[in-house]
PDB file of all heavy atoms in Angstrom:
ATOM      1  N   ILE A  23      19.558   7.199  13.681  1.00 90.00           N
ATOM      2  CA  ILE A  23      20.045   7.882  12.486  1.00 90.00           C
ATOM      3  C   ILE A  23      19.987   9.392  12.694  1.00 90.00           C
ATOM      4  O   ILE A  23      20.928  10.126  12.342  1.00 90.00           O
ATOM      5  CB  ILE A  23      19.237   7.448  11.234  1.00 90.00           C
ATOM      6  CG1 ILE A  23      19.497   5.974  10.947  1.00 90.00           C
ATOM      7  CG2 ILE A  23      19.548   8.327  10.058  1.00 90.00           C
ATOM      8  CD1 ILE A  23      18.535   5.362   9.944  1.00 90.00           C
ATOM      9  N   SER A  51      16.633  13.154  21.839  1.00 85.00           N
ATOM     10  CA  SER A  51      16.214  11.886  21.236  1.00 85.00           C
ATOM     11  C   SER A  51      15.384  11.058  22.218  1.00 85.00           C
ATOM     12  O   SER A  51      14.382  10.449  21.815  1.00 85.00           O
ATOM     13  CB  SER A  51      17.453  11.106  20.815  1.00 85.00           C
ATOM     14  OG  SER A  51      17.084   9.848  20.302  1.00 85.00           O
ATOM     15  N   GLY A  73     -11.174   3.428   9.418  1.00 89.00           N
ATOM     16  CA  GLY A  73     -11.058   2.367   8.399  1.00 89.00           C
ATOM     17  C   GLY A  73      -9.867   2.480   7.479  1.00 89.00           C
ATOM     18  O   GLY A  73      -9.857   1.910   6.406  1.00 89.00           O
ATOM     19  N   ILE A 125      13.469  18.041   9.945  1.00 84.00           N
ATOM     20  CA  ILE A 125      13.061  16.753  10.495  1.00 84.00           C
ATOM     21  C   ILE A 125      11.726  16.295   9.927  1.00 84.00           C
ATOM     22  O   ILE A 125      11.493  15.090   9.767  1.00 84.00           O
ATOM     23  CB  ILE A 125      13.058  16.783  12.043  1.00 84.00           C
ATOM     24  CG1 ILE A 125      14.504  16.988  12.533  1.00 84.00           C
ATOM     25  CG2 ILE A 125      12.469  15.519  12.614  1.00 84.00           C
ATOM     26  CD1 ILE A 125      14.607  17.283  14.013  1.00 84.00           C
ATOM     27  N   ARG A 138       7.923   0.453   3.618  1.00 94.00           N
ATOM     28  CA  ARG A 138       8.230  -0.408   2.479  1.00 94.00           C
ATOM     29  C   ARG A 138       9.118  -1.587   2.884  1.00 94.00           C
ATOM     30  O   ARG A 138       8.941  -2.697   2.414  1.00 94.00           O
ATOM     31  CB  ARG A 138       8.889   0.387   1.351  1.00 94.00           C
ATOM     32  CG  ARG A 138       8.044   1.499   0.757  1.00 94.00           C
ATOM     33  CD  ARG A 138       6.730   0.993   0.206  1.00 94.00           C
ATOM     34  NE  ARG A 138       5.893   2.046  -0.285  1.00 94.00           N
ATOM     35  CZ  ARG A 138       4.830   2.541   0.340  1.00 94.00           C
ATOM     36  NH1 ARG A 138       4.450   2.039   1.484  1.00 94.00           N
ATOM     37  NH2 ARG A 138       4.125   3.510  -0.179  1.00 94.00           N
TER      38      ARG A 138
END
Side-chain angles (χ1 to χ4, degrees):
I23 293 168
S51 177
I125 295 170
R138 298 302 177 256

